[in-house]
Amino acid sequence: MPTEPASTAALEAARKLAGRVCAGERSAISQALNAVDDNRASSREARLALLDAVSPQARGVRIGVTGAPGAGKSTLLDALVSGLRDRGRSVGVLAVDPSSQRTGGALLGDRMRLSASARDAGVFLRSLAARDQLGGLSEVTGPSLDIMAAALDYVFVETVGVGQSEAQVIDVVDTLVFVAQPAAGDLIQFMKAGILEWPDLFFVNKSDLGDVATRAAAELRAGLDLGHRRDPDRVPPVLSGSARDGLGIDELIEALDEHTGYLKTSGIGEARRRQGRIARIEHALEVRYGRFGLATLGSETEVRAAIAAEPGASVDRVVDVLSSRIEAALCEHDEEKGRRGA
Amino acid sequence: MSSIDSRPERDRPWMFRTYSGHSSAKASNALYRSNLAKGQTGLSVAFDLPTQTGYDSDHPLSRGEVGKVGVPICHIDDMQVLFDEIPLEKMNTSMTINATAAWLLSLYIATAERQGTDQGALRGTTQNDIIKEYLSRGTFVFPPEASMRLTSEIVSYTVDHVPNWNPMNVCSYHLQEAGATPVQEIAFSMANAISILDVVRAMPEVDDETLSRVFGRISFFLNAGIRFVEEMCKCRAMNLLWEEIGRERYGITNEKMLRLRYGVQVNSLGLTEAQPENNIIRIALEALGVTLSKKARTRSLQLPAWNEALGLPRPWDQQLSLRTQQILAYETDLLEYGDLFDGSHVVEAKTNALLDEARGELQTILDMGGAVTAVENAYMKQKLVESQTDRLRAIEAGELTVVGVNEYVEAVDSPLVEEGAGAILKVDESAEREQIQSLEAFRNRRNTADAEAALKNLEDVIKNGGNIMAPSIAAAKAGVTTGEWSQVLRDVFGEYRAPTGVVAAPVAEASEDVSQVRKRVDELSTTLGRRLKILVGKPGLDGHSNGAEQIAVKARDVGMEVVYDGIRLTPQEIVQSAQDEGVHVIGLSILSGSHGVLVTDVVEQLKNEGMGTIPVVVGGIIPDDDADKLVAAGVRRVYTPKDFDLTRIMDEIVDVVAESNAD
Ligand code: B12
Ligand SMILES: Nc1nc2c(ncn2[C@@H]2O[C@H](COP(=O)(O)OP(=O)(O)OP(=O)(O)O)[C@@H](O)[C@H]2O)c(=O)[nH]1
Ligand SMILES: [Mg+2]
């Protein structure tokens, strides 16, 4: 990684920006989100300084909303945002667009599904292209959530999920909600895909369609009793309602709050954040250097130890530090090969 | 050669209409009366956008739109002035009104009563087709379910109380303007009609005999493009399919009720800004397509004007279009013959081919749950955007010839456009202020208690599931305003935003030029540190979405990240989106003529929010003089329909962003 020295002025500006983010200033949130997305080498130090300053303050509750295409995630978010605004809480929404194109371009177009009542000053929306990452989440999802969670009470991230992406979303959120469509056969698909393992809460949407929703909820409950679960001590609640008609939203908000409380008192929340941090760091390094590069850091426990050695630092900072180590190791390895070849 | 006296028996011509209305009820009344004096035989009322979307003229969202593209009607006195000295008893009036159709019809009925005419004697049409509003026209207000309820209640009311009224005009016209192919035009509009007929059939008060009458009263509003042979075949195909649906789906047997009745406005999408006099010929040929074959002849015809792509037509421009119809009907021998194409294998084969394909597409929609589902899941809207994209790509690539645009562009100057800004109708800027004053005066002179009681009654009736019409007519008489009536419905039903249809647009094979721009976008993105991000915004009440959609799709195709949130946003919402989303450039699209107020608002608010460095580009129907003003106000580029090369526009946007970010 080429390193360019950042001016002290730039670092100072980054810290100032962090302060404004934590104070919930709207233009600062936006600027900070731009900054974490800025991948110029010259911006690197400022970006890391910003994230180092913001990450420890990122206290907002992070909630992932996932589910099959068209399940009603955006509609549900609209209802949730309105509900939370009624309760006086500030809300951020990060909409990850799945359609990454070979052109690099993307059409981000879901935000105005949010009704006018959900578009007031206490709501911040940012859409993000999935870019070229496999599995659906772009690398800036984590840092973006850090920024938003430092400024807002609740931060939601919407991803289209059927498999793959859930396993990644859980690294960046506290609670994962799965929105299910009451369609026949879907459930079996979910179980096969191993999706039911991850969510902390299920919301069977479109209850206005009648019996199918009730049946789907019952099936889901039965399925959950049998299958693997991420948290073995807790059977995730299965709620149902209609995002379109605003039914079951209060109950969902209560269930989310209940889960937030549970994460806190049980200590599971803290443990998840720690694990998530490690997973994000490993994932970022693996994407850049592959399994082989990651292995130059030593065994899994050694990697964890290295991460633990930087407790206050942001994920990106640790990635940065470890990247230099991997690069040095790879470089040595290449030289070694060169010598032997000669 | 027969002498004048011995001219053969001629068919009665179709009805000649001109879609018009502007400024105020008084000005529009004068226009209608002079049009009737010139031999126009029916009226076609254009309402302004606030009236169409249920806002009074003094509502904040009405700013800059009052009296612009149609007449503002806020209450019964406005309506009375609009038809002053026009006896409604004798008139056939078509009203292009949809989300607020029940209200405008109520005002019309109440006005007729003031003239001493019973509602039972009224003739005319309320467009009242909400599905195509979601798909193309953009003046929807309420969610689909509530809208279907309103439409069906107007149908069930008029079929008994205003028996000669066409309560619903199923519009395929607007679908073609949004890009629809002939097959899509047929299939989508039939699916639309079915969705409403199914609701009506399920109403407890509707028996088989009523259903038959309802079927007979549903009329259509078609488009006719420049490929006039195919268009003629399309009309024949629709005749056949409608009858088939009537017999098979609804068990209608009365031949008279099974006949497809339709009016036509010929295509405007293909009318050009470049060499606009060519449009005179296009319009005449398009008119031929829907009059030539007796079996597929329209019952009424509206022709746009030669200066369609420049701005609103003046009385002279509309007169030319009326004369075109009169020449066709009275000078040519068109009306002297039976159907010219019966027995033509060519026409029959083409008609059958369209019919087959349309049946398939219709079935696809019915299988997914019908037109309402296909609105909500964006299926139809996506298809339209796709077709429009194909059309524009073909023009850009030169595969589709448009004379004067992508071929035969060398030309001498046109004396018709030498007048410049004088070649279009300019709505007097004082119209808005005067309308607001007259609205205030009306509110002061009405009996407030009566109006409030009528509103309360309206709310009670709709909450209890009663028919919308009776309490609306009562409200009209009690002095309720358009905004008040609509607000009650907004509160009960909620509001809806239709899907934009762009998200899933397929990426096209990149041409040489597109690849070139893509490379520039990639390079600039690297310099900027993150991918070039653009917000495409549609401020105000304007529903023309084609341009914005195509700009959005193209920007995606050249590698930009695009935020496009659909129509009808306030300048403040757009500025907020731009900030939240961290975009590098904002592109605004406005075709309704209210760019003056709205663009300046966006630019000002950006400055106030400390985002003055984000460049703004604008596109739409922007007369040259106005373009200069916008540039002076800080807008970086202005585009109009003559800039048909979208790739070039993208290239220039890259320039603009590069300029703004050059340190
Ligand atoms: C198609 C059309 C419609 C369709 C719209 C379908 C849709 N979903 O978009 C329908 C039939 C629904 C319609 C309805 C109405 N229409 Co109309 N319509 C047109 C028409 C014929 C073509 C517009 C179009 O789509 N062109 C194709 C697209 C691709 O081109 P474009 O938008 O111009 O975009 C190009 C450039 O302008 C530029 N551009 C545009 N936007 C942007 C944005 C950016 C960021 C950039 C960089 C560039 C850019 O780039 C594009 C590429 O060339 C025009 C006349 C004409 N020929 O231009 C009238 C016109 C715009 N309509 C008009 C009117 C009055 C109406 C109505 C308001 C009538 C009424 N009273 O009810 C209604 C209501 C609509 C509403 N809700 O607002 C008037 C506006 C008058 C004015 N400005 O003073 C026009 C000019 C016709 C006329 N002469 O009277 N209409
Ligand atoms: N009947 C019914 N329809 C709903 C409900 N919630 C959402 N929908 C409809 O389902 C469709 C998809 O809704 P979205 O909210 O866009 O779904 P999504 O999961 O965000 O979709 P993607 O982002 O495309 O994956 C839309 O047509 C909604 O109107 C509901 O509670 N009941
Ligand atoms: Mg969504």
Side-chain angles (χ1 to χ4, degrees):
Chain A
M1 280 264 132
T3 314
E4 273 179 39
S7 69
T8 38
L11 292 183
E12 190 44 41
R15 270 178 229 121
K16 243 202 208 127
L17 179 60
R20 287 170 52 215
V21 169
C22 296
E25 221 180 284
R26 188 169 205 113
S27 61
I29 306 175
S30 176
Q31 253 176 287
L33 288 171
N34 297 347
V36 300
D37 199 11
D38 184 340
N39 49 32
R40 282 175 293 192
S42 56
S43 315
R44 185 172 136 269
E45 272 305 325
R47 177 167 56 91
L48 294 177
L50 172 67
L51 283 168
D52 283 347
V54 163
S55 297
Q57 309 289 322
R59 299 202 185 87
V61 179
R62 301 161 208 225
I63 299 166
V65 176
T66 179
K73 301 177 291 294
S74 301
T75 314
L76 182 64
L77 270 171
D78 178 20
L80 276 174
V81 169
S82 297
L84 288 166
R85 289 303 299 143
D86 288 345
R87 290 166 174 76
R89 311 199 197 152
S90 60
V91 193
V93 178
L94 194 64
V96 180
D97 186 281
S99 64
S100 76
Q101 302 288 350
R102 52 199 152 75
T103 65
L107 268 163
L108 313 161
D110 237 356
R111 39 181 296 130
M112 285 302 157
R113 296 308 286 280
L114 289 191
S115 52
S117 62
R119 280 186 261 137
D120 69 6
V123 184
F124 189 100
L125 292 134
R126 167 74 61 124
S127 27
L128 211 58
R131 313 266 164 83
D132 43 10
Q133 283 273 322
L134 294 171
L137 280 196
S138 113
E139 220 178 290
V140 293
T141 311
S144 299
L145 286 174
D146 287 342
I147 300 288
M148 290 168 88
L152 302 153
D153 299 333
Y154 282 77
V155 181
F156 291 92
V157 55
E158 176 187 342
T159 58
V160 172
V162 250
Q164 275 293 308
S165 54
E166 278 76 7
Q168 264 189 45
V169 187
I170 57 153
D171 295 338
V172 293
V173 299
D174 302 308
T175 300
L176 182 65
V177 179
F178 187 88
V179 183
Q181 287 230 70
D186 273 11
L187 231 58
I188 302 174
Q189 288 308 115
F190 297 156
M191 289 188 210
K192 276 195 194 147
I195 290 174
L196 300 192
E197 199 176 329
W198 307 109
D200 301 297
L201 242 169
F202 289 85
F203 186 83
V204 179
N205 192 27
K206 310 195 184 183
S207 64
D208 52 278
L209 298 180
D211 281 354
V212 269
T214 327
R215 259 189 317 232
E219 263 178 61
L220 195 51
R221 281 190 199 100
L224 285 171
D225 281 340
L226 301 172
H228 273 285
R229 288 196 308 265
R230 183 178 182 210
D231 182 348
D233 296 334
R234 189 175 164 278
V235 181
V238 177
L239 309 181
S240 77
S242 165
R244 193 192 65 182
D245 299 344
L247 301 174
I249 306 304
D250 288 338
E251 291 79 356
L252 179 57
I253 292 176
E254 269 163 42
L256 286 171
D257 284 347
E258 189 270 331
H259 191 248
T260 305
Y262 165 77
L263 289 177
K264 208 172 264 160
T265 51
S266 63
I268 291 179
E270 203 29 58
R272 280 190 178 183
R273 284 205 178 181
R274 254 193 328 268
Q275 278 164 15
R277 210 169 108 85
I278 294 172
R280 279 166 65 186
I281 292 167
E282 285 181 351
H283 181 77
L285 292 173
E286 198 184 320
V287 166
R288 276 191 211 167
Y289 305 106
R291 286 244 141 237
F292 179 77
L294 194 57
T296 61
L297 290 175
S299 70
E300 207 169 304
T301 26
E302 279 167 305
V303 176
R304 301 227 159 140
I307 293 170
E310 313 268 350
S314 64
V315 165
D316 290 59
R317 169 76 67 192
V318 180
V319 169
D320 195 64
V321 170
L322 296 182
S323 290
S324 327
R325 275 171 53 185
I326 294 177
E327 277 177 27
L330 290 175
C331 198
E332 218 165 86
H333 177 85
D334 283 352
E335 279 170 21
E336 181 82 358
K337 248 182 26 196
R339 270 200 299 280
R340 262 190 261 147
Chain B
M1 195 69 244
S2 49
S3 76
I4 300 282
D5 315 322
S6 65
R7 263 164 64 149
E9 186 101 346
R10 293 171 68 87
D11 285 325
R12 253 204 2 223
W14 54 91
M15 194 185 304
F16 306 157
R17 295 195 211 257
T18 316
Y19 185 40
S20 55
H22 67 86
S23 301
S24 65
K26 193 152 181 262
S28 302
N29 173 262
L31 178 67
Y32 295 166
R33 282 199 275 162
S34 85
N35 283 349
L36 291 169
K38 283 182 202 148
Q40 185 178 302
T41 49
L43 287 179
S44 172
V45 183
F47 296 101
D48 72 356
L49 292 173
T51 306
Q52 295 190 49
T53 49
Y55 297 111
D56 280 335
S57 299
D58 56 355
H59 191 280
L61 285 170
S62 304
R63 212 171 132 234
E65 312 267 16
V66 177
K68 271 274 160 58
V69 296
V71 56
I73 297 293
C74 294
H75 45 74
I76 184 165
D77 286 4
D78 279 347
M79 198 62 131
Q80 189 177 359
V81 172
L82 186 66
F83 293 105
D84 188 32
E85 289 184 40
I86 300 174
L88 296 186
E89 195 187 351
K90 299 206 191 94
M91 198 36 55
N92 186 320
T93 308
S94 163
M95 294 192 269
T96 299
I97 197 72
N98 296 278
T100 53
W103 175 241
L104 273 301
L105 177 57
S106 297
L107 287 173
Y108 191 79
I109 290 172
T111 301
E113 203 170 291
R114 276 191 181 175
Q115 285 191 359
T117 299
D118 183 72
Q119 56 177 353
L122 296 177
R123 285 176 180 276
T125 306
T126 33
Q127 196 165 77
N128 198 21
D129 165 6
I130 206 71
I131 299 262
K132 68 90 177 53
E133 295 296 325
Y134 299 131
L135 294 178
S136 164
R137 200 170 166 280
T139 67
F140 48 79
V141 177
F142 314 112
E145 209 174 305
S147 298
M148 297 311 272
R149 172 182 157 186
L150 289 174
T151 306
S152 62
E153 287 178 4
I154 297 171
V155 173
S156 79
Y157 179 87
T158 53
V159 80
D160 285 332
H161 299 94
V162 201
N164 293 318
W165 196 262
N166 299 313
M168 184 196 186
N169 206 210
V170 181
C171 297
S172 73
Y173 166 78
H174 307 82
L175 304 180
Q176 182 174 129
E177 296 293 307
T181 61
V183 167
Q184 288 167 342
E185 214 188 305
I186 304 172
F188 293 5
S189 59
M190 291 293 161
N192 179 359
I194 286 174
S195 70
I196 201 74
L197 280 166
D198 281 1
V199 174
V200 172
R201 178 169 58 180
M203 292 172 116
E205 65 267 33
V206 175
D207 57 18
D208 286 353
E209 187 274 332
T210 316
L211 185 68
S212 173
R213 276 187 293 131
V214 167
F215 192 87
R217 288 253 51 102
I218 303 273
S219 55
F220 279 69
F221 184 47
L222 273 49
N223 205 324
I226 195 71
R227 292 169 53 81
F228 70 89
V229 178
E230 185 174 39
E231 293 293 55
M232 183 187 79
C233 297
K234 174 189 79 187
C235 296
R236 291 170 88 94
M238 286 179 89
N239 273 312
L240 294 170
L241 190 53
W242 182 240
E243 183 176 336
E244 185 177 302
I245 290 168
R247 285 191 201 282
E248 289 173 13
R249 193 176 179 98
Y250 300 104
I252 314 282
T253 47
N254 183 336
E255 296 291 334
K256 199 166 152 244
M257 298 299 156
L258 282 166
R259 221 170 294 143
L260 180 77
R261 296 177 309 120
Y262 62 91
V264 168
Q265 160 130 3
V266 306
N267 181 290
S268 285
L269 183 65
L271 301 181
T272 61
E273 180 186 2
Q275 301 180 21
E277 62 280 4
N278 298 347
N279 295 330
I280 299 173
I281 315 304
R282 293 194 177 98
I283 292 165
L285 292 173
E286 289 169 348
L288 211 49
V290 286
T291 50
L292 203 50
S293 147
K294 183 170 177 176
K295 267 200 180 153
R297 187 167 298 150
T298 183
R299 299 203 170 203
S300 74
L301 186 58
Q302 291 178 179
L303 300 182
W306 68 275
N307 53 354
E308 171 78 12
L310 307 179
L312 291 170
R314 300 159 300 178
W316 179 83
D317 309 314
Q318 293 198 324
Q319 177 184 300
L320 178 60
S321 295
L322 176 62
R323 295 293 180 249
T324 308
Q325 296 206 43
Q326 289 165 331
I327 291 169
L328 194 55
Y330 301 131
E331 286 189 23
T332 75
D333 56 352
L334 186 66
L335 295 174
E336 293 168 14
Y337 300 97
D339 195 279
L340 302 177
F341 300 95
D342 270 354
S344 156
H345 301 305
V346 177
V347 168
E348 193 181 329
K350 181 68 194 171
T351 303
N352 285 336
L354 288 170
L355 203 49
D356 282 348
E357 238 192 294
R359 279 197 198 100
E361 184 62 10
L362 174 59
Q363 198 54 48
T364 304
I365 295 167
L366 294 177
D367 288 346
M368 71 178 66
V372 172
T373 308
V375 164
E376 289 179 326
N377 68 13
Y379 173 81
M380 292 193 284
K381 181 69 181 171
Q382 276 168 18
K383 289 279 172 201
L384 294 177
V385 172
E386 246 176 82
S387 300
Q388 186 77 274
T389 307
D390 288 346
R391 181 181 152 267
L392 293 184
R393 275 180 192 144
I395 296 175
E396 203 175 302
E399 292 155 16
L400 187 71
T401 299
V402 184
V403 173
V405 172
N406 62 359
E407 280 219 57
Y408 316 110
V409 287
E410 286 300 311
V412 294
D413 289 342
S414 158
L416 272 182
V417 282
E418 260 162 28
E419 296 176 66
I424 52 170
L425 179 87
K426 281 270 178 189
V427 173
D428 190 353
E429 291 299 330
S430 62
E432 183 161 326
R433 201 176 9 137
E434 282 163 21
Q435 171 67 13
I436 291 174
Q437 280 165 0
S438 106
L439 172 61
E440 275 163 8
F442 177 83
R443 286 210 194 96
N444 289 334
R445 72 173 175 268
R446 73 176 175 180
N447 182 325
T448 313
D450 282 359
E452 276 167 7
L455 284 168
K456 180 79 189 65
N457 178 46
L458 173 70
E459 183 182 342
D460 290 345
V461 171
I462 48 181
K463 275 190 175 155
N464 294 327
N467 190 297
I468 184 86
M469 285 305 297
S472 297
I473 296 170
K477 293 179 187 165
V480 162
T481 67
T482 300
E484 290 164 347
W485 181 88
S486 307
Q487 192 56 47
V488 168
L489 272 70
R490 283 186 153 94
D491 289 343
V492 176
F493 295 138
E495 289 191 57
Y496 184 72
R497 289 189 68 78
T500 60
V502 298
V503 180
V507 181
E509 214 41 66
S511 67
E512 184 65 26
D513 293 349
V514 167
S515 308
Q516 207 61 37
V517 180
R518 229 182 245 178
K519 226 175 111 222
R520 290 194 66 208
V521 171
D522 287 348
E523 284 162 10
L524 183 57
S525 299
T526 308
T527 316
L528 294 169
R530 61 196 171 94
R531 191 148 282 278
L532 204 169
K533 197 169 183 180
I534 181 174
L535 176 102
V536 179
K538 283 211 51 77
L541 296 176
D542 178 22
H544 291 93
S545 58
N546 289 337
E549 287 155 6
Q550 295 307 319
I551 292 286
V553 170
K554 197 66 171 196
R556 189 275 316 267
D557 286 357
V558 299
M560 300 184 197
E561 286 183 1
V562 188
V563 178
Y564 172 58
D565 293 327
I567 59 172
R568 282 163 63 188
L569 298 174
T570 63
Q572 196 229 331
E573 285 169 323
I574 287 173
V575 170
Q576 176 130 85
S577 287
Q579 179 172 65
D580 285 11
E581 292 289 357
V583 299
H584 296 105
V585 53
I586 299 173
L588 301 175
S589 179
I590 307 180
L591 284 82
S592 72
S594 44
H595 44 266
V597 180
L598 294 168
V599 173
T600 338
D601 259 18
V602 171
V603 172
E604 283 303 311
Q605 288 192 34
L606 281 173
K607 279 193 198 132
N608 295 341
E609 296 292 322
M611 296 188 285
T613 52
I614 301 181
V616 176
V617 299
V618 175
I621 304 293
I622 321 270
D624 287 348
D625 304 1
D626 292 3
D628 295 343
K629 283 185 209 146
L630 293 182
V631 169
V635 168
R636 304 295 283 277
R637 297 278 195 285
V638 177
Y639 297 98
T640 64
K642 69 178 176 317
D643 304 304
F644 68 95
D645 188 339
L646 291 167
T647 311
R648 236 193 78 201
I649 295 180
M650 291 304 140
D651 202 39
E652 291 185 19
I653 291 178
V654 176
D655 292 339
V656 166
V657 177
E659 285 160 22
S660 310
N661 287 276
D663 296 315

